[in-house]
């Protein structure tokens, strides 16, 4: 079941991620290892956490922060605050249904605003895994207890509340996107987090000190605009266009999004014998001008900007930081005051 000569996942990852994981949880629960090394979870190591936008980076092949690393990190946060094996496994599996380029199929499915269209596949993928099902049977865990992490509010909850998933991608996107955090800063913020009861009487991750909550929101608010910018939205749709053409020409199939790594798919596109496809991809990768407009632009690659608005308004002393901090209110209002056009386009 386990990878030969490697029985502990934390021993084989890079040093920076290992240090980060030890901030999230002082102990690495051994029961996670067998589940991490199942084929379905290992597949996630070839999928990047920041979708297609990652591949426009010049060093894209070297510094991938994978969906697997994200999933393990979310599981460690849940473990740290609950020490509940079932909730921790549910967090580990929360992205198991992700295809290559993560939210690409959500956009194809018309779910650009919630980006949840594939989550119903989680149970199906787990049921189809002989390895995972054998482990669950051995551990006497029912599948409905781990196939929907939304039933555990520490793992996931509705925006703008703070959950393990939302906290983790804020931390690591901050590291990989804009170098916003150091590990020391992440530790300072993380060590200030507790479990509290929110206004709905439900448990939620919260801050003890308003100064730390303000610091978290200040840095996080620099990330939020990046996730709604024209470039990121166009990139997802552009990858969908290229991969759609690859599938139509029978160079790959939709199933390959679940069988191949992103790197393998990018290499397939680059090596395509269809010059139109390879030239199309090459030209997009060299485009750096992204235009915004309120009118649909004909004759250009024009896409809707209806996308998910991600932000966090955490609890501090049983109140939302927005309601008790002028600084946090300014950061959150600043994000929502960003004018979003209805469309964005490129001359592609």
């Amino acid at each position: 079941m386990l990878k030969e000569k490697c029985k502990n996942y934390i021993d084989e990852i890079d040093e920076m991620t290992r240090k980060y994981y030890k901030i999230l949880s002082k102990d690495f629960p051994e029961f996670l290892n067998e589940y991490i090394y199942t084929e379905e979870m290992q597949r996630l190591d070839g999928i990047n956490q920041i979708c297609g936008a990652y591949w426009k980076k010049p060093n894209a092949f070297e510094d991938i922060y994978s969906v697997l690393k994200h999933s393990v990190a979310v599981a460690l946060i849940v473990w740290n605050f609950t020490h509940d094996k079932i909730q921790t496994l549910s967090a580990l599996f929360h992205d198991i249904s992700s295809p290559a380029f993560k939210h690409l199929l959500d956009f194809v499915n018309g779910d650009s605003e919630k980006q949840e269209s594939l989550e119903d596949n989680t149970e199906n993928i787990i049921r189809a895994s002989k390895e995972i099902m054998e482990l669950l049977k051995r551990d006497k865990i029912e599948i409905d207890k781990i196939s929907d992490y939304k039933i555990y509010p520490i793992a996931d909850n509705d925006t703008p509340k703070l959950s393990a998933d939302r906290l983790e991608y804020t931390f690591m996107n901050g590291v990989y996107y804009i170098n916003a955090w150091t590990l020391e800063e992440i530790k300072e913020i993380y060590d200030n987090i507790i479990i509290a009861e929110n206004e709905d009487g439900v448990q939620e991750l919260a801050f003890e000190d308003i100064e730390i909550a303000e610091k978290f929101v200040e840095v996080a608010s620099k990330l939020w605009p990046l996730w709604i910018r024209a470039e990121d939205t166009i990139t997802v749709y552009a990858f969908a266009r290229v991969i759609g053409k690859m599938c139509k020409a029978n160079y790959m199939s939709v199933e390959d999004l679940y069988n191949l790594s992103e790197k393998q798919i990018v290499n397939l596109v680059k090596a395509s014998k269809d010059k139109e496809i390879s030239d199309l991809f090459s030209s997009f990768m060299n485009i750096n001008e992204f235009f915004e407009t309120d009118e649909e632009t004909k004759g250009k690659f024009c896409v809707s900007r209806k996308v998910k608005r991600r932000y966090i308004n955490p609890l501090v002393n049983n109140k939302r930081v927005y309601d008790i901090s002028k600084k946090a209110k300014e950061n959150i209002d600043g994000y929502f005051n960003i004018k979003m056009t209805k469309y964005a386009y490129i001359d592609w």
Side-chain angles (χ1 to χ4, degrees):
M1 181 70 66
L2 292 177
K3 249 185 185 181
E4 188 177 355
K5 298 182 181 179
C6 184
K7 295 185 178 182
N8 196 349
Y9 176 73
I10 200 168
D11 291 336
E12 78 162 1
I13 55 177
D14 61 276
E15 184 178 358
M16 194 277 283
T17 305
R18 188 181 306 117
K19 289 179 178 178
Y20 170 59
Y21 281 177
K22 287 183 178 179
I23 292 171
L24 303 183
S25 177
K26 291 180 181 178
D27 68 301
F28 190 93
E30 290 186 8
F31 70 82
L32 281 179
N33 283 305
E34 289 179 284
Y35 289 96
I36 290 171
Y37 285 117
T38 58
E39 183 179 347
E40 289 74 19
M41 288 303 300
Q42 286 295 299
R43 179 185 69 84
L44 302 180
D45 205 30
I47 302 172
N48 197 276
Q49 179 63 11
I50 59 173
C51 307
Y54 167 81
W55 293 100
K56 285 182 68 67
K57 293 173 63 177
N59 59 340
F61 282 96
E62 283 86 42
D63 64 349
I64 184 170
Y65 188 70
S66 70
V67 174
L68 177 61
K69 287 181 179 178
H70 162 70
S71 299
V72 174
V74 175
L76 290 177
I77 294 172
V78 172
W79 176 253
N80 179 70
F81 287 102
T82 70
H83 275 80
D84 184 293
K85 182 174 182 178
I86 291 176
Q87 291 188 53
T88 301
L89 284 174
S90 184
L92 179 71
F93 293 138
H94 81 278
D95 270 341
I96 199 170
S97 62
S98 296
F101 312 108
K102 200 169 184 185
H103 290 298
L104 179 145
L105 287 182
D106 285 323
F107 280 71
V108 173
N109 293 337
D111 184 33
S112 59
E113 291 183 272
K114 291 187 176 181
Q115 299 178 12
E116 298 174 347
S117 70
L118 301 175
E119 290 183 358
D120 289 343
N121 291 334
T122 298
E123 182 174 339
N124 294 333
I125 289 174
I126 292 172
R127 284 193 183 279
S129 170
K130 182 179 178 181
E131 285 182 289
I132 295 176
M133 292 303 292
E134 285 179 353
L135 289 170
L136 292 176
K137 183 178 180 181
R138 182 199 68 188
D139 294 342
K140 297 180 174 59
I141 298 173
E142 297 175 9
I143 191 170
D144 63 340
K145 300 293 185 183
I146 51 87
S147 60
D148 182 10
Y149 81 134
K150 292 183 180 298
I151 65 177
Y152 304 115
I154 298 303
D156 185 59
N157 50 32
D158 293 333
T159 302
K161 300 178 181 118
L162 184 62
S163 65
D165 183 30
R166 203 163 287 120
L167 176 66
E168 201 292 317
Y169 70 61
T170 301
F171 278 156
M172 290 314 289
N173 279 357
V175 170
Y176 279 82
Y177 243 125
I178 57 173
N179 196 26
W181 318 97
T182 64
L183 289 182
E184 290 75 19
E185 288 169 325
I186 287 175
K187 186 177 189 307
E188 178 190 22
I189 290 166
Y190 189 70
D191 286 350
N192 196 250
I193 295 174
I194 59 172
I195 292 181
E197 189 174 285
N198 65 24
E199 57 269 61
D200 300 318
V202 177
Q203 285 190 331
E204 180 181 336
L205 297 181
F207 287 96
E208 285 191 292
D209 301 322
I210 190 168
E211 294 82 10
I212 301 296
E214 288 174 332
K215 183 175 182 178
F216 174 75
V217 170
E218 181 179 11
V219 179
S221 66
K222 296 175 183 177
L223 278 167
W224 304 335
L226 300 178
W227 297 329
I228 61 172
R229 62 181 179 171
E231 179 177 347
D232 277 33
T233 306
I234 287 174
T235 297
V236 178
Y237 280 113
F239 268 80
R241 169 72 66 88
V242 170
I243 289 169
K245 285 182 175 290
M246 288 285 288
C247 292
K248 188 174 182 180
N250 292 320
Y251 293 123
M252 63 175 287
S253 66
V254 173
E255 287 72 27
D256 286 329
L257 292 171
Y258 291 94
N259 297 320
L260 301 177
S261 70
E262 289 179 1
K263 184 175 180 178
Q264 288 174 315
I265 293 172
V266 168
N267 286 336
L268 270 180
V269 173
K270 287 181 176 179
S272 172
K273 295 179 181 179
D274 189 321
K275 195 171 186 301
E276 179 191 354
I277 294 175
S278 57
D279 285 353
L280 190 69
F281 183 72
S282 177
S283 67
F284 173 71
M285 295 299 279
N286 288 300
I287 284 176
N288 292 307
E289 286 189 292
F290 299 84
F291 303 96
E292 300 177 5
T293 177
D294 282 319
E295 301 292 331
E296 188 170 6
T297 305
K298 305 296 182 183
K300 308 291 184 184
F301 186 73
C302 186
V303 302
S304 167
R305 293 191 71 196
K306 288 183 179 179
V307 294
K308 187 172 185 177
R309 280 257 188 179
R310 301 175 187 268
Y311 77 105
I312 302 169
N313 180 15
L315 284 173
V316 186
N317 298 321
N318 299 315
K319 295 181 180 179
R320 294 289 164 192
V321 72
Y322 181 91
D323 299 322
I324 59 175
S325 165
K326 180 181 177 182
K327 186 176 182 180
K329 184 178 185 300
E330 288 175 352
N331 286 322
I332 293 171
D333 284 343
Y335 170 57
F336 278 97
N337 287 334
I338 296 173
K339 182 182 181 295
M340 273 193 69
T341 58
K342 293 181 180 179
Y343 299 94
Y345 71 90
I346 53 175
D347 190 6
W348 190 21

